[in-house]
Amino acid sequence: MALLGVLLLVAVLILSIVYLFLRSRHSYWPNRGFPYKPNPSLLFGQMQGNGTTRHAAYVTQEIYNYAKDRGERYMGYSFYFMPIVMVCDIELVKTVLVKDFTVFHDRGMYSNPTVDPLSGNLFSLEGHEWRALRHKLTPTFTSGRMKQMFGTMLQVAMELERRLLDHIDQELEMKDVLARFTTDVIGTCAFGIECNTLKNPDSDFLKYGKRVFEHRLPAMVKMTFAMLFKERAKALGVKVTDDDLEAFFLNLVHETVEHRERNNVHRNDFLDLLLEIKNKGSLEEQQHDGKPVASDGPGLTMNELAAQVFIFFVAGFETSSTVMNFCLYELAKNPDVQDRLREELNRAIDGNGGELTYDTVMGNEYLGQVVNETLRKYPPLETVLRVTAEDYTIPGTAHVIPRQRGVQIPVYAIHHDPAYYPDPECFDPDRFSADQCKARTPYTFLPFGEGPRICIGMRFGLMQVRVGLVSMLRAFRFLPTTRTPDRVVFDPKTFILSPAGGNFLRVAKV
């Protein structure tokens, strides 16, 4: 009985400590005089239901609207038990992403390449390591490099067209089909490997790629702990990448690199460019008199190279497929827009002698408007996150955001703010005509972020989306079915915006 009493006392003590810790986290912003979203859940903060019943996009939109209704430029809230400042004022968004970038250069992601090699990627790295790597990788995403990959991408698009021909006048779940298309594109352009997931949907590439975006509670807890207590997590050797996923990508990259170097194989793909950086320290256009410029430092290690290929793959396959997915959904629901886009594409290609080229695809104005309106309504990542490198006083106030605190740019909420986009739920590509873009408030369209840390793969992602859409729309018409919802509901079990239950459309031959 005495032992039971002691155990009960210890349990009560532990629960009391946890309770007091959580209450202190939820009092973080009120204690500093910040405007604050009240009534947080003890365990989830303002994220109640996130990951189970509601996507984070809906939660952050509610907080954004709450702040705007009260005339607040920013709002403190609890992301689970992590104190976050949400920026709601567009001028302050510009300040965070551009003007004061030296304070906000990091995303706050956890990276520990020593024990977790794939975490040492450009998306997660911070400070000097990020800056040096960004400098090395930037030339790999020029328009010239994209043109070199265009032909390879077009071949995969032709295979997509052949797959769709097997489903004429049938209902088809497009989310899965398009994920297989982008997996094949990335596999070919990043690894130089034909994944063939359009033919074989059980591909390991697709399986492991999807795993990265799954909203699993144990992974969320581990990542939240690592982001909140970075130094402690590094000291404990915390890994955020699953062992089997790490083994798959490391082995694949090591084997491919060894084969290329042993047999002197060269291809116009991302891996070829990384191998040049690995062995020479930089790409040719960054060199002076045949030698890497001094600021480049050493080349890439094998694990560093693998980490970049990994993030290129996971960042490119799922995000691009969801953009095409949402675009086809909106085109099916808005047949007048679909017909106009098809006519514009055919006119441009006919004017080019019937040849589909990089310039024809990337230069089509109305296609760009349709893609941008899709990115406006359905940005793949609903939030851009930054952390403070030092204590930061918000301009025009006495409020100080302490060092290493998260600052959130709510992209989805801004894109659906009627102050910037009247009738935001309406799909209207004319919002992105040259005149309307010129008249719109800057920094209100942020699908790729903005400033020095804007998505480095933006050109590749847009090319992939455009090539896929052009190939499909020239040959097929997409129509809604009884399973096509009037309004998309986002899947709460994935970080990116993705339709719950898939996207069922009928495919008809043009």
Side-chain angles (χ1 to χ4, degrees):
M1 290 298 292
L3 178 60
L4 180 60
V6 171
L7 291 175
L8 286 173
L9 183 62
V10 170
V12 169
L13 181 61
I14 292 173
L15 289 173
S16 299
I17 292 172
V18 170
Y19 173 81
L20 292 173
F21 169 77
L22 292 175
R23 294 310 305 172
S24 71
R25 303 306 291 181
H26 297 322
S27 301
Y28 191 90
W29 298 120
N31 289 345
R32 286 164 172 76
F34 274 65
Y36 179 66
K37 182 74 163 61
N39 304 318
S41 161
L42 184 64
L43 294 177
F44 300 99
Q46 265 77 35
M47 306 307 290
Q48 183 74 38
N50 177 43
T52 55
T53 59
R54 293 198 302 165
H55 194 279
Y58 302 129
V59 181
T60 53
Q61 187 179 27
E62 287 176 4
I63 299 170
Y64 175 88
N65 290 338
Y66 178 86
K68 293 278 286 190
D69 289 345
R70 285 154 182 77
E72 302 290 357
R73 298 167 57 214
Y74 48 90
M75 177 70 60
Y77 78 100
S78 297
F79 181 87
Y80 296 100
F81 55 87
M82 188 185 301
I84 296 281
V85 173
M86 180 184 291
V87 177
C88 307
D89 175 72
I90 296 302
E91 192 59 37
L92 192 52
V93 167
K94 179 180 178 181
T95 298
V96 169
L97 296 179
V98 181
K99 288 183 179 178
D100 289 336
F101 179 76
T102 53
V103 179
F104 299 99
H105 50 71
D106 295 334
R107 299 184 192 275
M109 303 300 294
Y110 174 73
S111 177
N112 187 4
T114 304
V115 299
D116 192 355
L118 296 184
S119 71
N121 59 70
L122 187 66
F123 185 84
S124 301
L125 286 175
E126 299 184 334
H128 174 73
E129 291 177 323
W130 166 79
R131 194 172 289 104
L133 185 60
R134 175 87 182 205
H135 180 65
K136 289 177 182 177
L137 295 182
T138 294
T140 65
F141 291 97
T142 62
S143 58
R145 301 291 186 186
M146 295 305 101
K147 286 184 180 181
Q148 292 175 0
M149 298 181 190
F150 179 79
T152 303
M153 194 177 290
L154 201 55
Q155 290 176 2
V156 181
M158 291 170 64
E159 180 60 31
L160 170 64
E161 187 176 334
R162 285 191 286 271
R163 292 298 103 193
L164 292 180
L165 280 171
D166 296 334
H167 300 277
I168 295 301
D169 292 325
Q170 297 177 18
E171 183 182 63
L172 188 60
E173 202 289 287
M174 295 305 302
K175 178 181 173 183
D176 175 65
V177 173
L178 294 173
R180 286 191 271 155
F181 165 68
T182 53
T183 297
D184 284 355
V185 169
I186 300 288
T188 303
C189 293
F191 296 89
I193 293 174
E194 293 185 9
C195 305
N196 290 321
T197 57
L198 280 166
K199 298 178 181 177
N200 173 28
D202 297 323
S203 160
D204 282 341
F205 269 95
L206 190 59
K207 179 180 74 174
Y208 286 113
K210 287 182 176 180
R211 277 264 299 279
V212 176
F213 293 96
E214 290 176 356
H215 203 313
R216 293 168 291 140
L217 185 59
M220 276 295 298
V221 170
K222 187 161 58 173
M223 177 59 81
T224 301
F225 172 80
M227 290 173 65
L228 196 58
F229 307 105
K230 286 184 184 178
E231 297 307 318
R232 195 170 302 172
K234 288 181 179 180
L236 293 171
V238 171
K239 284 186 64 174
V240 296
T241 309
D242 292 343
D243 289 336
D244 58 338
L245 187 148
E246 176 187 289
F248 172 76
F249 278 100
L250 287 181
N251 290 339
L252 181 67
V253 171
H254 282 230
E255 290 172 6
T256 306
V257 167
E258 287 173 8
H259 170 75
R260 290 196 183 191
E261 293 189 331
R262 186 169 57 248
N263 297 285
N264 196 30
V265 175
H266 294 283
R267 293 173 54 110
N268 288 326
D269 60 18
F270 185 57
L271 183 57
D272 223 28
L273 302 174
L274 289 179
L275 280 172
E276 186 176 342
I277 297 172
K278 168 183 173 289
N279 296 325
K280 298 180 180 179
S282 66
L283 296 175
E284 272 188 25
E285 55 264 49
Q286 290 176 297
Q287 298 180 19
H288 179 67
D289 293 334
K291 298 179 181 179
V293 294
S295 60
D296 281 345
L300 300 172
T301 67
M302 188 69 87
N303 280 353
E304 288 171 338
L305 184 151
Q308 309 324 311
V309 175
F310 167 74
I311 199 63
F312 180 73
F313 175 74
V314 299
F317 103 90
E318 183 77 354
T319 54
S320 294
S321 70
T322 57
V323 172
M324 285 190 288
N325 191 38
F326 285 125
C327 188
L328 290 183
Y329 165 83
E330 290 290 351
L331 292 177
K333 301 290 284 187
N334 298 274
D336 54 328
V337 176
Q338 183 177 167
D339 290 342
R340 178 182 168 187
L341 177 56
R342 185 176 294 107
E343 291 170 5
E344 295 272 0
L345 292 173
N346 287 334
R347 186 181 301 113
I349 294 166
D350 291 344
N352 195 45
E355 186 180 0
L356 189 61
T357 63
Y358 174 87
D359 292 328
T360 307
V361 171
M362 299 306 291
N364 190 279
E365 184 178 351
Y366 193 62
L367 175 60
Q369 291 178 211
V370 170
V371 171
N372 281 344
E373 176 66 348
T374 305
L375 288 166
R376 194 275 307 171
K377 195 172 178 184
Y378 308 100
L381 295 179
E382 60 92 16
T383 280
V384 169
L385 187 65
R386 295 288 186 266
V387 295
T388 48
E390 59 192 52
D391 289 355
Y392 180 79
T393 303
I394 298 175
T397 78
H399 288 153
V400 177
I401 306 175
R403 178 180 174 274
Q404 289 299 305
R405 281 289 156 250
V407 176
Q408 177 187 16
I409 311 298
V411 175
Y412 178 84
I414 292 170
H415 285 191
H416 287 76
D417 188 336
Y420 310 120
Y421 299 97
D423 194 9
E425 295 306 318
C426 174
F427 185 80
D428 180 12
D430 286 333
R431 296 182 201 273
F432 288 92
S433 66
D435 289 342
Q436 289 211 32
C437 287
K438 187 177 181 180
R440 186 174 301 121
T441 304
Y443 296 90
T444 55
F445 183 61
L446 303 165
F448 299 99
E450 192 52 86
R453 201 147 188 171
I454 193 172
C455 175
I456 193 173
M458 177 175 66
R459 279 195 182 98
F460 183 90
L462 288 174
M463 181 170 73
Q464 183 175 213
V465 168
R466 283 174 174 246
V467 167
L469 289 173
V470 171
S471 300
M472 289 185 289
L473 290 169
R474 289 184 71 207
F476 308 103
R477 185 181 305 279
F478 296 89
L479 303 101
T481 74
T482 55
R483 287 202 278 181
T484 307
D486 289 333
R487 182 172 178 174
V488 173
V489 176
F490 302 132
D491 185 354
K493 295 182 177 60
T494 179
F495 293 105
I496 65 169
L497 296 193
S498 181
N503 179 30
F504 291 89
L505 301 174
R506 184 163 70 88
V507 181
K509 193 80 174 69
V510 171

